[in-house]
Amino acid sequence: MQGLIQAMNTLTRAAGQIQGLRVQWCEPESNPILTTDTDTGKPEAWCYMRLEHIEA
């Protein structure tokens, strides 16, 4: 879960620096959700992020 939260914060902070995209804003759309992968049985975490960008 901590890795997901760090990834969310990094993406939110650095979205404007993604090459090939002109990002206007990026923000989490949901809280992180902790689940178990059905194939491997390992824990995983995920969330939805909203990324608004300008088309070229």
Side-chain angles (χ1 to χ4, degrees), residues 42-55:
K42 294 181 179 181
E44 64 182 10
W46 59 274
C47 77
Y48 288 104
M49 299 285 291
R50 180 176 297 271
L51 180 74
E52 184 75 30
H53 64 93
I54 300 172
E55 293 288 331

Side-chain angles (χ1 to χ4, degrees), residues 35-45:
T35 62
T36 302
D37 185 282
T38 56
D39 294 331
T40 64
K42 294 181 179 181
E44 64 182 10

Side-chain angles (χ1 to χ4, degrees), residues 4-14 49:
L4 174 62
I5 292 170
Q6 289 175 346
M8 290 169 55
N9 291 337
T10 300
L11 183 57
T12 301
R13 183 177 57 250
M49 299 285 291

